[in-house]
Every structure is written in C-alpha cells, then in structure tokens.
C-alpha cells in the first residue's frame, strides 16, 4: 500500500520543471491524506495556470500593438514552454493519483474530488454513460457531508442529467453510428452462422 511519505515524494518529483512552483498546502485541505495533499497542490496549480494565461494575454496584446504579429515573440514562446510544463505536471499528478490506492471511503471521496477538479472545465458529458459516475460522485459527496469544489460546473452538469432531451439519438439523425447499409452489431455474425448451416 502506498504511504503518505511515498505520495509526498511523488508530489515533490512533479515539481521538477523550474517554471512550475507548487506552493504549500491551502487552509481548505480536506485532510492530511495523500489525496488531500494532491487536491491542495492541484488547486494551487490551477491558480498558477490562471496567472500564466493572464500574463500571456498581456504579452500577446503588446506584441500585436508593436509588431502586428505575435508569432516571433520570444516572451510568448517562453510562456508557452511554461504552459507545456504545467500540462506535463498535471498529467503526472493524474497518474500518481490513479495509481494510488485509497485506504478509506473518505479517501475515495477525496480521489473523486480530485477527479472532478481535473475536469472541472468540462461541465458537459462526452457520452450519456458519463452521467452515471458523475451522479455517483455527487451521491458520495452528499453521503460524506462534503462540499463540491466545482459548484458552478457541477450545476451545469446536473442540468444535463435532468434534461430529458440530452443524448436523444435516432436512426434518422445524421450520425456515423447509423450508416445506411451497414449491419447492426451482431448481424454480420448471424449471417455467417446461417451460411455455415
């Protein structure tokens, strides 16, 4: 089982890019568990990304004002390198959280809170079946007496869960899943069996 020391060492190893400085834990830490630590670190990372994009917007505006083009701006290239380092750090943090086994139900809740934080800017769902794990996450939050850290995004996602028109498909829709002349799943196998008989 992964220990708290291992998690802390893992978090420390993620700070390798000099451009990304992960600060100390926030006051609103869910607990001192491995996932609580990762939640704190990720929330601080999100603040850093916001600041990085704010700087990028200012630099880009100045570059356009001076040159009319920002493609040759060395400052923007440096900012983009920092952003790439941020996303690489995020990927490593996701791997670390995914490979760490929760030691209690409360840590499962925290793991799911981290999951939601990582994809907080996706208030919609790619597939109808994505609504089930989201709903389970919300149920678990409620049962554990936890507050969501992505309330606005959750409200948009909940609206889709309760929307009867969401994910309504039919064979008449212009969708690749319903190509004319293509057999439905299993039909081609049945035809082959009939030919063998």
């Amino acid at each position: 089982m992964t220990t708290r020391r291992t998690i802390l060492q893992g978090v420390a190893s993620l700070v390798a890019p000099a451009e990304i400085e992960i600060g100390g834990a926030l006051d609103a830490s869910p607990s001192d568990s491995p996932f609580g630590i990762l939640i704190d670190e990720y929330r601080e990372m999100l603040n850093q990304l916001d600041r990085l994009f704010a700087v990028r917007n200012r630099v880009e505006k100045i570059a356009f004002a001076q040159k009319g083009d920002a493609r040759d701006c060395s400052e923007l290239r440096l900012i983009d390198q920092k952003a790439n380092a941020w996303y690489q750090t995020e990927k490593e943090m996701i791997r670390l959280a995914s490979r760490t086994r929760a030691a209690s139900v409360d840590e499962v809740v925290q793991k799911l809170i981290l999951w939601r934080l990582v994809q907080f800017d996706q208030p919609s769902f790619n597939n109808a079946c994505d609504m089930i794990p989201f709903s389970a996450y919300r149920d678990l939050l409620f049962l554990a007496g936890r507050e969501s850290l992505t309330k606005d995004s959750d409200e948009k996602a909940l609206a889709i869960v309760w929307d009867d028109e969401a994910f309504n498909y039919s064979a008449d829709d212009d969708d690749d899943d319903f190509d004319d002349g293509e057999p439905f799943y299993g039909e081609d196998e049945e035809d082959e069996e009939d030919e063998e008989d």
Side-chain angles (χ1 to χ4, degrees):
M1 181 167 294
T2 305
T3 64
R4 181 174 181 276
R5 179 188 296 260
T6 305
I7 284 290
L8 287 170
Q9 289 170 345
V11 171
S13 71
L14 300 182
V15 194
E19 297 85 359
I20 304 295
E21 297 177 6
I22 296 182
L26 303 178
D27 292 337
S29 173
S31 78
D32 200 25
S33 79
F35 301 105
I37 293 167
L38 290 176
I39 287 169
D40 285 343
E41 300 295 357
Y42 191 72
R43 290 174 74 187
E44 178 56 30
M45 282 177 64
L46 290 175
N47 291 335
Q48 291 170 4
L49 189 64
D50 286 342
R51 292 193 296 268
L52 188 63
F53 282 143
V55 171
R56 192 188 196 289
N57 290 340
R58 287 197 302 271
V59 171
E60 190 174 47
K61 188 174 180 181
I62 292 169
F64 271 113
Q66 292 177 348
K67 304 174 184 177
D69 190 353
R71 285 178 291 187
D72 294 329
C73 180
S74 59
E75 290 86 354
L76 282 178
R77 282 198 299 273
L78 179 61
I79 291 170
D80 287 342
Q81 288 173 1
K82 291 181 178 183
N84 288 337
W86 190 97
Y87 287 114
Q88 185 59 38
T89 302
E90 180 192 50
K91 192 186 303 180
E92 293 302 322
M93 182 172 280
I94 290 169
R95 285 193 184 114
L96 178 62
S98 301
R99 295 170 182 175
T100 302
R101 185 173 178 180
S104 66
V105 172
D106 194 52
E107 286 191 2
V108 173
V109 175
Q110 293 172 33
K111 197 173 194 177
L112 286 169
I113 289 172
L114 182 60
W115 161 75
R116 188 61 182 151
L117 273 175
V118 167
Q119 52 103 57
F120 78 98
D121 57 347
Q122 299 174 21
S124 186
F125 301 102
N126 291 327
N127 299 292
C129 60
D130 293 337
M131 293 191 287
I132 297 173
F134 171 78
S135 177
Y137 153 76
R138 295 286 298 179
D139 291 344
L140 201 52
L141 275 187
F142 177 76
L143 291 172
R146 294 270 187 193
E147 289 289 327
S148 170
L149 298 180
T150 55
K151 292 180 182 176
D152 292 342
S153 204
D154 286 2
E155 288 302 318
K156 293 175 184 174
L158 281 170
I160 295 171
V161 170
W162 289 100
D163 181 2
D164 291 338
E165 299 303 314
F167 298 104
N168 280 344
Y169 302 120
S170 71
D172 296 330
D173 293 339
D174 185 16
D175 195 307
D176 292 340
D177 290 339
F178 298 100
D179 290 333
D180 290 336
E182 290 291 324
F184 286 103
Y185 179 75
E187 281 187 346
D188 51 349
E189 296 172 2
E190 291 173 6
D191 292 342
E192 289 174 7
E193 290 174 4
D194 292 341
E195 289 174 5
E196 290 175 2
D197 293 339

mmCIF file of all heavy atoms in Angstrom, residues 91-127:
data_model
loop_
_atom_site.group_PDB
_atom_site.id
_atom_site.type_symbol
_atom_site.label_atom_id
_atom_site.label_comp_id
_atom_site.label_asym_id
_atom_site.label_seq_id
_atom_site.Cartn_x
_atom_site.Cartn_y
_atom_site.Cartn_z
ATOM 1 N N LYS A 91 -0.412 15.912 -15.952
ATOM 2 C CA LYS A 91 -0.513 14.522 -16.391
ATOM 3 C C LYS A 91 0.150 13.575 -15.385
ATOM 4 O O LYS A 91 -0.395 12.519 -15.054
ATOM 5 C CB LYS A 91 0.162 14.382 -17.756
ATOM 6 C CG LYS A 91 -0.127 13.054 -18.453
ATOM 7 C CD LYS A 91 0.684 12.914 -19.740
ATOM 8 C CE LYS A 91 0.437 14.047 -20.693
ATOM 9 N NZ LYS A 91 1.216 13.899 -21.941
ATOM 10 N N GLU A 92 1.304 13.972 -14.892
ATOM 11 C CA GLU A 92 1.999 13.143 -13.915
ATOM 12 C C GLU A 92 1.226 13.057 -12.597
ATOM 13 O O GLU A 92 1.186 12.008 -11.943
ATOM 14 C CB GLU A 92 3.420 13.683 -13.661
ATOM 15 C CG GLU A 92 4.345 13.574 -14.852
ATOM 16 C CD GLU A 92 4.505 12.148 -15.345
ATOM 17 O OE1 GLU A 92 4.557 11.230 -14.512
ATOM 18 O OE2 GLU A 92 4.559 11.950 -16.572
ATOM 19 N N MET A 93 0.582 14.160 -12.214
ATOM 20 C CA MET A 93 -0.213 14.154 -10.992
ATOM 21 C C MET A 93 -1.422 13.237 -11.146
ATOM 22 O O MET A 93 -1.790 12.501 -10.210
ATOM 23 C CB MET A 93 -0.652 15.576 -10.640
ATOM 24 C CG MET A 93 -1.453 15.647 -9.347
ATOM 25 S SD MET A 93 -1.781 17.333 -8.804
ATOM 26 C CE MET A 93 -0.215 17.739 -8.037
ATOM 27 N N ILE A 94 -2.033 13.252 -12.312
ATOM 28 C CA ILE A 94 -3.169 12.366 -12.573
ATOM 29 C C ILE A 94 -2.726 10.909 -12.489
ATOM 30 O O ILE A 94 -3.419 10.059 -11.907
ATOM 31 C CB ILE A 94 -3.785 12.675 -13.955
ATOM 32 C CG1 ILE A 94 -4.493 14.042 -13.923
ATOM 33 C CG2 ILE A 94 -4.759 11.583 -14.379
ATOM 34 C CD1 ILE A 94 -4.906 14.551 -15.283
ATOM 35 N N ARG A 95 -1.570 10.612 -13.070
ATOM 36 C CA ARG A 95 -1.048 9.237 -12.993
ATOM 37 C C ARG A 95 -0.805 8.831 -11.544
ATOM 38 O O ARG A 95 -1.131 7.720 -11.123
ATOM 39 C CB ARG A 95 0.261 9.127 -13.780
ATOM 40 C CG ARG A 95 0.085 9.107 -15.282
ATOM 41 C CD ARG A 95 1.377 8.689 -15.966
ATOM 42 N NE ARG A 95 1.226 8.776 -17.408
ATOM 43 C CZ ARG A 95 1.884 9.626 -18.180
ATOM 44 N NH1 ARG A 95 2.750 10.468 -17.643
ATOM 45 N NH2 ARG A 95 1.699 9.642 -19.471
ATOM 46 N N LEU A 96 -0.202 9.739 -10.784
ATOM 47 C CA LEU A 96 0.104 9.452 -9.387
ATOM 48 C C LEU A 96 -1.175 9.159 -8.606
ATOM 49 O O LEU A 96 -1.248 8.178 -7.856
ATOM 50 C CB LEU A 96 0.848 10.632 -8.763
ATOM 51 C CG LEU A 96 1.217 10.531 -7.287
ATOM 52 C CD1 LEU A 96 2.162 9.367 -7.042
ATOM 53 C CD2 LEU A 96 1.844 11.833 -6.802
ATOM 54 N N ALA A 97 -2.205 9.988 -8.789
ATOM 55 C CA ALA A 97 -3.470 9.784 -8.083
ATOM 56 C C ALA A 97 -4.144 8.484 -8.519
ATOM 57 O O ALA A 97 -4.695 7.748 -7.705
ATOM 58 C CB ALA A 97 -4.398 10.969 -8.324
ATOM 59 N N SER A 98 -4.077 8.195 -9.819
ATOM 60 C CA SER A 98 -4.731 6.995 -10.348
ATOM 61 C C SER A 98 -4.070 5.718 -9.857
ATOM 62 O O SER A 98 -4.727 4.688 -9.694
ATOM 63 C CB SER A 98 -4.706 7.018 -11.878
ATOM 64 O OG SER A 98 -5.358 8.162 -12.375
ATOM 65 N N ARG A 99 -2.767 5.783 -9.626
ATOM 66 C CA ARG A 99 -2.017 4.592 -9.217
ATOM 67 C C ARG A 99 -1.935 4.429 -7.701
ATOM 68 O O ARG A 99 -1.340 3.470 -7.212
ATOM 69 C CB ARG A 99 -0.609 4.650 -9.813
ATOM 70 C CG ARG A 99 -0.626 4.570 -11.338
ATOM 71 C CD ARG A 99 0.719 4.878 -11.938
ATOM 72 N NE ARG A 99 0.646 4.842 -13.403
ATOM 73 C CZ ARG A 99 1.654 5.167 -14.209
ATOM 74 N NH1 ARG A 99 2.817 5.541 -13.702
ATOM 75 N NH2 ARG A 99 1.493 5.113 -15.518
ATOM 76 N N THR A 100 -2.523 5.377 -6.976
ATOM 77 C CA THR A 100 -2.503 5.319 -5.510
ATOM 78 C C THR A 100 -3.833 4.771 -5.016
ATOM 79 O O THR A 100 -4.894 5.299 -5.349
ATOM 80 C CB THR A 100 -2.263 6.722 -4.914
ATOM 81 O OG1 THR A 100 -1.028 7.236 -5.416
ATOM 82 C CG2 THR A 100 -2.213 6.668 -3.402
ATOM 83 N N ARG A 101 -3.763 3.725 -4.213
ATOM 84 C CA ARG A 101 -4.985 3.099 -3.707
ATOM 85 C C ARG A 101 -5.495 3.840 -2.484
ATOM 86 O O ARG A 101 -4.727 4.153 -1.566
ATOM 87 C CB ARG A 101 -4.683 1.644 -3.349
ATOM 88 C CG ARG A 101 -5.908 0.873 -2.937
ATOM 89 C CD ARG A 101 -5.587 -0.585 -2.758
ATOM 90 N NE ARG A 101 -6.752 -1.317 -2.326
ATOM 91 C CZ ARG A 101 -6.762 -2.613 -2.087
ATOM 92 N NH1 ARG A 101 -5.649 -3.303 -2.222
ATOM 93 N NH2 ARG A 101 -7.854 -3.212 -1.697
ATOM 94 N N ALA A 102 -6.782 4.120 -2.474
ATOM 95 C CA ALA A 102 -7.396 4.773 -1.320
ATOM 96 C C ALA A 102 -7.457 3.810 -0.157
ATOM 97 O O ALA A 102 -7.743 2.622 -0.325
ATOM 98 C CB ALA A 102 -8.801 5.252 -1.676
ATOM 99 N N ALA A 103 -7.183 4.320 1.043
ATOM 100 C CA ALA A 103 -7.151 3.477 2.240
ATOM 101 C C ALA A 103 -8.454 3.532 3.030
ATOM 102 O O ALA A 103 -8.604 2.838 4.029
ATOM 103 C CB ALA A 103 -5.993 3.901 3.136
ATOM 104 N N SER A 104 -9.397 4.376 2.602
ATOM 105 C CA SER A 104 -10.666 4.506 3.317
ATOM 106 C C SER A 104 -11.707 5.078 2.364
ATOM 107 O O SER A 104 -11.373 5.572 1.282
ATOM 108 C CB SER A 104 -10.514 5.437 4.529
ATOM 109 O OG SER A 104 -10.225 6.753 4.082
ATOM 110 N N VAL A 105 -12.959 5.022 2.788
ATOM 111 C CA VAL A 105 -14.035 5.600 1.978
ATOM 112 C C VAL A 105 -13.817 7.108 1.834
ATOM 113 O O VAL A 105 -14.052 7.683 0.770
ATOM 114 C CB VAL A 105 -15.419 5.300 2.601
ATOM 115 C CG1 VAL A 105 -16.518 6.054 1.867
ATOM 116 C CG2 VAL A 105 -15.692 3.804 2.576
ATOM 117 N N ASP A 106 -13.342 7.751 2.903
ATOM 118 C CA ASP A 106 -13.090 9.188 2.841
ATOM 119 C C ASP A 106 -12.030 9.505 1.788
ATOM 120 O O ASP A 106 -12.137 10.509 1.083
ATOM 121 C CB ASP A 106 -12.644 9.709 4.205
ATOM 122 C CG ASP A 106 -12.694 11.228 4.270
ATOM 123 O OD1 ASP A 106 -13.759 11.793 3.940
ATOM 124 O OD2 ASP A 106 -11.675 11.839 4.620
ATOM 125 N N GLU A 107 -11.035 8.656 1.651
ATOM 126 C CA GLU A 107 -10.020 8.890 0.629
ATOM 127 C C GLU A 107 -10.575 8.648 -0.778
ATOM 128 O O GLU A 107 -10.143 9.291 -1.742
ATOM 129 C CB GLU A 107 -8.791 8.015 0.880
ATOM 130 C CG GLU A 107 -7.960 8.515 2.049
ATOM 131 C CD GLU A 107 -6.604 7.824 2.166
ATOM 132 O OE1 GLU A 107 -6.286 6.973 1.303
ATOM 133 O OE2 GLU A 107 -5.870 8.142 3.109
ATOM 134 N N VAL A 108 -11.554 7.742 -0.895
ATOM 135 C CA VAL A 108 -12.236 7.567 -2.179
ATOM 136 C C VAL A 108 -12.956 8.853 -2.556
ATOM 137 O O VAL A 108 -12.902 9.307 -3.705
ATOM 138 C CB VAL A 108 -13.236 6.382 -2.126
ATOM 139 C CG1 VAL A 108 -14.063 6.331 -3.408
ATOM 140 C CG2 VAL A 108 -12.502 5.075 -1.923
ATOM 141 N N VAL A 109 -13.634 9.468 -1.574
ATOM 142 C CA VAL A 109 -14.318 10.740 -1.800
ATOM 143 C C VAL A 109 -13.311 11.788 -2.281
ATOM 144 O O VAL A 109 -13.547 12.508 -3.257
ATOM 145 C CB VAL A 109 -15.030 11.228 -0.522
ATOM 146 C CG1 VAL A 109 -15.625 12.618 -0.733
ATOM 147 C CG2 VAL A 109 -16.109 10.249 -0.103
ATOM 148 N N GLN A 110 -12.167 11.867 -1.605
ATOM 149 C CA GLN A 110 -11.157 12.854 -1.984
ATOM 150 C C GLN A 110 -10.587 12.578 -3.374
ATOM 151 O O GLN A 110 -10.320 13.500 -4.149
ATOM 152 C CB GLN A 110 -10.038 12.863 -0.945
ATOM 153 C CG GLN A 110 -10.489 13.386 0.405
ATOM 154 C CD GLN A 110 -9.422 13.215 1.454
ATOM 155 O OE1 GLN A 110 -8.240 13.301 1.160
ATOM 156 N NE2 GLN A 110 -9.828 12.956 2.676
ATOM 157 N N LYS A 111 -10.417 11.314 -3.691
ATOM 158 C CA LYS A 111 -9.925 10.945 -5.016
ATOM 159 C C LYS A 111 -10.896 11.426 -6.093
ATOM 160 O O LYS A 111 -10.492 11.940 -7.141
ATOM 161 C CB LYS A 111 -9.755 9.420 -5.083
ATOM 162 C CG LYS A 111 -8.890 8.916 -6.214
ATOM 163 C CD LYS A 111 -8.679 7.399 -6.043
ATOM 164 C CE LYS A 111 -7.577 6.876 -6.924
ATOM 165 N NZ LYS A 111 -7.321 5.437 -6.712
ATOM 166 N N LEU A 112 -12.188 11.269 -5.825
ATOM 167 C CA LEU A 112 -13.199 11.722 -6.775
ATOM 168 C C LEU A 112 -13.276 13.249 -6.831
ATOM 169 O O LEU A 112 -13.554 13.825 -7.894
ATOM 170 C CB LEU A 112 -14.562 11.126 -6.422
ATOM 171 C CG LEU A 112 -14.698 9.644 -6.755
ATOM 172 C CD1 LEU A 112 -15.966 9.066 -6.144
ATOM 173 C CD2 LEU A 112 -14.679 9.424 -8.256
ATOM 174 N N ILE A 113 -13.051 13.916 -5.710
ATOM 175 C CA ILE A 113 -12.988 15.380 -5.714
ATOM 176 C C ILE A 113 -11.841 15.837 -6.609
ATOM 177 O O ILE A 113 -11.980 16.772 -7.406
ATOM 178 C CB ILE A 113 -12.829 15.932 -4.284
ATOM 179 C CG1 ILE A 113 -14.135 15.752 -3.498
ATOM 180 C CG2 ILE A 113 -12.421 17.402 -4.305
ATOM 181 C CD1 ILE A 113 -14.014 16.084 -2.017
ATOM 182 N N LEU A 114 -10.709 15.159 -6.519
ATOM 183 C CA LEU A 114 -9.567 15.482 -7.384
ATOM 184 C C LEU A 114 -9.921 15.225 -8.845
ATOM 185 O O LEU A 114 -9.609 16.039 -9.719
ATOM 186 C CB LEU A 114 -8.348 14.653 -6.972
ATOM 187 C CG LEU A 114 -7.065 14.907 -7.754
ATOM 188 C CD1 LEU A 114 -6.604 16.360 -7.614
ATOM 189 C CD2 LEU A 114 -5.961 13.957 -7.295
ATOM 190 N N TRP A 115 -10.610 14.101 -9.121
ATOM 191 C CA TRP A 115 -11.065 13.801 -10.488
ATOM 192 C C TRP A 115 -11.916 14.937 -11.041
ATOM 193 O O TRP A 115 -11.731 15.379 -12.168
ATOM 194 C CB TRP A 115 -11.859 12.492 -10.480
ATOM 195 C CG TRP A 115 -12.739 12.301 -11.666
ATOM 196 C CD1 TRP A 115 -12.357 11.956 -12.940
ATOM 197 C CD2 TRP A 115 -14.163 12.456 -11.713
ATOM 198 N NE1 TRP A 115 -13.459 11.891 -13.751
ATOM 199 C CE2 TRP A 115 -14.574 12.195 -13.027
ATOM 200 C CE3 TRP A 115 -15.128 12.790 -10.755
ATOM 201 C CZ2 TRP A 115 -15.918 12.246 -13.420
ATOM 202 C CZ3 TRP A 115 -16.451 12.852 -11.146
ATOM 203 C CH2 TRP A 115 -16.830 12.580 -12.457
ATOM 204 N N ARG A 116 -12.829 15.418 -10.223
ATOM 205 C CA ARG A 116 -13.723 16.480 -10.680
ATOM 206 C C ARG A 116 -12.959 17.787 -10.881
ATOM 207 O O ARG A 116 -13.233 18.537 -11.819
ATOM 208 C CB ARG A 116 -14.869 16.669 -9.672
ATOM 209 C CG ARG A 116 -15.954 17.607 -10.126
ATOM 210 C CD ARG A 116 -16.630 17.124 -11.386
ATOM 211 N NE ARG A 116 -17.641 18.085 -11.806
ATOM 212 C CZ ARG A 116 -18.016 18.270 -13.068
ATOM 213 N NH1 ARG A 116 -17.475 17.555 -14.030
ATOM 214 N NH2 ARG A 116 -18.933 19.156 -13.365
ATOM 215 N N LEU A 117 -12.004 18.073 -10.023
ATOM 216 C CA LEU A 117 -11.186 19.274 -10.188
ATOM 217 C C LEU A 117 -10.404 19.240 -11.500
ATOM 218 O O LEU A 117 -10.290 20.242 -12.196
ATOM 219 C CB LEU A 117 -10.196 19.413 -9.026
ATOM 220 C CG LEU A 117 -10.670 20.133 -7.782
ATOM 221 C CD1 LEU A 117 -9.592 20.054 -6.699
ATOM 222 C CD2 LEU A 117 -10.996 21.594 -8.080
ATOM 223 N N VAL A 118 -9.878 18.070 -11.829
ATOM 224 C CA VAL A 118 -9.067 17.938 -13.041
ATOM 225 C C VAL A 118 -9.908 18.180 -14.284
ATOM 226 O O VAL A 118 -9.412 18.724 -15.269
ATOM 227 C CB VAL A 118 -8.403 16.543 -13.091
ATOM 228 C CG1 VAL A 118 -7.813 16.251 -14.453
ATOM 229 C CG2 VAL A 118 -7.320 16.438 -12.018
ATOM 230 N N GLN A 119 -11.183 17.821 -14.257
ATOM 231 C CA GLN A 119 -12.018 18.036 -15.439
ATOM 232 C C GLN A 119 -13.176 18.997 -15.159
ATOM 233 O O GLN A 119 -14.238 18.913 -15.747
ATOM 234 C CB GLN A 119 -12.516 16.701 -15.973
ATOM 235 C CG GLN A 119 -13.195 15.794 -14.976
ATOM 236 C CD GLN A 119 -14.699 15.773 -15.106
ATOM 237 O OE1 GLN A 119 -15.242 15.475 -16.159
ATOM 238 N NE2 GLN A 119 -15.381 16.100 -14.039
ATOM 239 N N PHE A 120 -12.911 19.972 -14.251
ATOM 240 C CA PHE A 120 -13.953 20.922 -13.849
ATOM 241 C C PHE A 120 -14.441 21.782 -15.002
ATOM 242 O O PHE A 120 -15.562 22.277 -14.995
ATOM 243 C CB PHE A 120 -13.433 21.847 -12.742
ATOM 244 C CG PHE A 120 -12.538 22.947 -13.243
ATOM 245 C CD1 PHE A 120 -13.021 24.224 -13.470
ATOM 246 C CD2 PHE A 120 -11.211 22.673 -13.537
ATOM 247 C CE1 PHE A 120 -12.189 25.223 -13.957
ATOM 248 C CE2 PHE A 120 -10.375 23.662 -14.016
ATOM 249 C CZ PHE A 120 -10.862 24.944 -14.231
ATOM 250 N N ASP A 121 -13.573 22.003 -16.010
ATOM 251 C CA ASP A 121 -13.962 22.883 -17.114
ATOM 252 C C ASP A 121 -14.723 22.122 -18.192
ATOM 253 O O ASP A 121 -14.918 22.626 -19.289
ATOM 254 C CB ASP A 121 -12.736 23.569 -17.720
ATOM 255 C CG ASP A 121 -11.689 22.581 -18.216
ATOM 256 O OD1 ASP A 121 -11.793 21.393 -17.872
ATOM 257 O OD2 ASP A 121 -10.777 23.008 -18.942
ATOM 258 N N GLN A 122 -15.167 20.899 -17.879
ATOM 259 C CA GLN A 122 -15.986 20.124 -18.799
ATOM 260 C C GLN A 122 -17.345 19.876 -18.145
ATOM 261 O O GLN A 122 -17.606 18.781 -17.643
ATOM 262 C CB GLN A 122 -15.303 18.795 -19.131
ATOM 263 C CG GLN A 122 -13.959 18.977 -19.790
ATOM 264 C CD GLN A 122 -13.235 17.659 -19.984
ATOM 265 O OE1 GLN A 122 -13.843 16.599 -19.988
ATOM 266 N NE2 GLN A 122 -11.933 17.722 -20.138
ATOM 267 N N PRO A 123 -18.189 20.905 -18.118
ATOM 268 C CA PRO A 123 -19.477 20.746 -17.438
ATOM 269 C C PRO A 123 -20.427 19.824 -18.177
ATOM 270 O O PRO A 123 -21.438 19.406 -17.636
ATOM 271 C CB PRO A 123 -20.019 22.178 -17.400
ATOM 272 C CG PRO A 123 -19.370 22.864 -18.554
ATOM 273 C CD PRO A 123 -18.014 22.256 -18.684
ATOM 274 N N SER A 124 -20.098 19.498 -19.441
ATOM 275 C CA SER A 124 -20.953 18.619 -20.213
ATOM 276 C C SER A 124 -20.430 17.187 -20.122
ATOM 277 O O SER A 124 -19.517 16.892 -19.372
ATOM 278 C CB SER A 124 -20.997 19.086 -21.666
ATOM 279 O OG SER A 124 -21.923 18.341 -22.403
ATOM 280 N N PHE A 125 -20.992 16.278 -20.908
ATOM 281 C CA PHE A 125 -20.571 14.894 -20.924
ATOM 282 C C PHE A 125 -20.312 14.482 -22.367
ATOM 283 O O PHE A 125 -21.056 14.853 -23.269
ATOM 284 C CB PHE A 125 -21.654 13.982 -20.334
ATOM 285 C CG PHE A 125 -22.013 14.309 -18.919
ATOM 286 C CD1 PHE A 125 -23.172 15.003 -18.624
ATOM 287 C CD2 PHE A 125 -21.193 13.929 -17.872
ATOM 288 C CE1 PHE A 125 -23.512 15.319 -17.325
ATOM 289 C CE2 PHE A 125 -21.519 14.238 -16.560
ATOM 290 C CZ PHE A 125 -22.673 14.931 -16.284
ATOM 291 N N ASN A 126 -19.277 13.701 -22.574
ATOM 292 C CA ASN A 126 -18.986 13.212 -23.923
ATOM 293 C C ASN A 126 -19.958 12.105 -24.322
ATOM 294 O O ASN A 126 -20.305 11.966 -25.491
ATOM 295 C CB ASN A 126 -17.551 12.684 -23.999
ATOM 296 C CG ASN A 126 -16.535 13.803 -23.875
ATOM 297 O OD1 ASN A 126 -16.775 14.914 -24.306
ATOM 298 N ND2 ASN A 126 -15.405 13.502 -23.263
ATOM 299 N N ASN A 127 -20.374 11.326 -23.354
ATOM 300 C CA ASN A 127 -21.295 10.218 -23.605
ATOM 301 C C ASN A 127 -22.352 10.179 -22.499
ATOM 302 O O ASN A 127 -22.095 10.618 -21.383
ATOM 303 C CB ASN A 127 -20.550 8.873 -23.614
ATOM 304 C CG ASN A 127 -19.501 8.815 -24.694
ATOM 305 O OD1 ASN A 127 -19.818 8.791 -25.881
ATOM 306 N ND2 ASN A 127 -18.238 8.808 -24.290
#
